[in-house]
Amino acid sequence: MSMYPTILYSDAKAAIRQLKDAFGFTEVCAYEGEDGSVMHAELSYGTGMVMLGSKGREGLFVKVMANAGPVGVYVVVSDVDAHYKRAAEQGVEILMEPTDQDYGSRDYMARDAEGNVWSFGTYAPGGAE
């Protein structure tokens, strides 16, 4: 089974830039509507992927997500300190600097430009990487 977090942004184009520049994601695809909004985009990191789009469009998913709060996404990275440094250099709001956890992980936490919380660490849920 695979899971793909899906996030809607007021400025999806800026979100794509931040995920790529600050967090090291790779843009797999991005489809725009006639009005320039992002209909659907996919960004990968390692074997994981996040899907995103613009708020304010039509459709059931957009409707039910209209008043949703920020989401939290956890991404496994091999070098937490280097990843943190890149994000901090890009001006990302850091919520927690790299920290060694009691359960053996080293991780940090950041907030993207629209309030979503991203955690990056060495812990791989279920032992998967």
Side-chain angles (χ1 to χ4, degrees):
M1 179 174 81
S2 299
M3 292 189 286
Y4 303 98
T6 304
I7 307 170
L8 297 179
Y9 287 93
S10 294
D11 189 343
K13 290 178 183 177
I16 291 169
R17 282 191 305 276
Q18 185 179 50
L19 290 172
K20 288 169 39 179
D21 296 345
F23 295 149
F25 280 74
T26 300
E27 184 176 325
V28 175
C29 65
Y31 305 100
E32 293 185 12
E34 291 180 15
D35 63 356
S37 65
V38 176
M39 302 297 291
H40 176 81
E42 298 173 6
L43 286 86
S44 66
Y45 191 96
T47 60
M49 188 172 295
V50 62
M51 298 185 296
L52 62 94
S54 296
K55 289 182 177 178
R57 297 178 296 113
E58 298 292 322
L60 180 60
F61 184 75
V62 174
K63 181 180 176 183
V64 298
M65 292 290 290
N67 294 317
V71 301
V73 180
Y74 183 84
V75 180
V76 177
V77 298
S78 59
D79 188 339
V80 171
D81 295 284
H83 198 276
Y84 160 80
K85 182 179 178 192
R86 176 182 182 157
E89 286 173 351
Q90 290 290 319
V92 171
E93 178 185 359
I94 303 298
L95 302 174
M96 181 183 77
E97 294 188 0
T99 304
D100 292 325
Q101 304 298 330
D102 292 342
Y103 50 89
S105 182
R106 179 165 180 77
D107 47 47
Y108 81 96
M109 195 178 328
R111 186 184 328 266
D112 72 21
E114 294 197 20
N116 299 295
V117 176
W118 292 81
S119 298
F120 298 90
T122 58
Y123 175 76
E129 285 194 40

